[in-house]
Amino acid sequence: MKNQIKILDKEFILFIEEEKIQNRVTQLAEQINNDYKDKVPTFLIVLKGALLFAADLLKRIKVRCKVELISAKSYGNEMESSGTVKLKHLESNFKNKDIIIIEDVIDTGLTMKTLLDDINKYEPNSIEVAAILTKPNAIKTDVNIKYVGFEIDNLFVVGYGLDYAEFGRELPDIYVLKV
Ligand code: 5GP
Ligand code: MG
């Protein structure tokens, strides 16, 4: 891995290494396997940012489960939350299901709040959230995130599914914007 990368006009510095991410994902999967040992959860992957996290997490899930996809967009090509969230369901049969939403990062929490309100209308049995990153200092809503990979400061990060203007999602490590 490189210590520093450039995406378009911006420089980014190595922040969380692949090995550290993978170890944490293993721990989260163990926790979920334990919590859901008598259930059949439905993992709802929030595209596109959660793709890599979801793939790594799902490979370690040992309980019988289903996988669904949803796309949520709150950022344009900018680096601040736009305040509006667009949701696009690809499947919507959530009634009586035990849902685990897989998300990349909880920033203001607005996207997750919108998503939770939306999914709750389908009357699932339960909903929990797994996010590889949360930003406790940026949160503006009262969402409960049960499975958190890493708590980070109010920083802009890329890699491991997260993009800057759609680039950088393929990086196995997480990088932070150089200031
Ligand atoms: P929120 O609605 O919680 O403010 O924002 C959540 C969404 O904004 C995330 O799903 C993600 O797509 C995007 N986002 C928030 N923080 C970052 C960040 O540091 N880097 C990138 N690439 N996207 C972010
Ligand atoms: Mg996202």
Side-chain angles (χ1 to χ4, degrees), residues 64-92:
R64 207 152 58 93
C65 65
K66 292 184 176 179
V67 176
E68 303 291 352
L69 307 171
I70 192 169
S71 100
K73 208 177 161 117
S74 73
Y75 273 32
N77 284 346
E78 293 137 41
M79 292 190 292
E80 276 181 35
S81 254
S82 63
T84 51
V85 181
K86 271 182 268 168
L87 295 179
K88 216 180 343 174
H89 278 238
L90 304 176
E91 167 66 43
S92 56

Side-chain angles (χ1 to χ4, degrees), residues 46-50 72-75 102-105 111 161-163 169:
V46 185
L47 300 175
K48 303 169 199 171
K73 208 177 161 117
S74 73
Y75 273 32
I102 308 183
E103 175 62 304
D104 50 4
V105 51
T111 304
L162 292 148
D163 71 305
R169 295 191 193 276

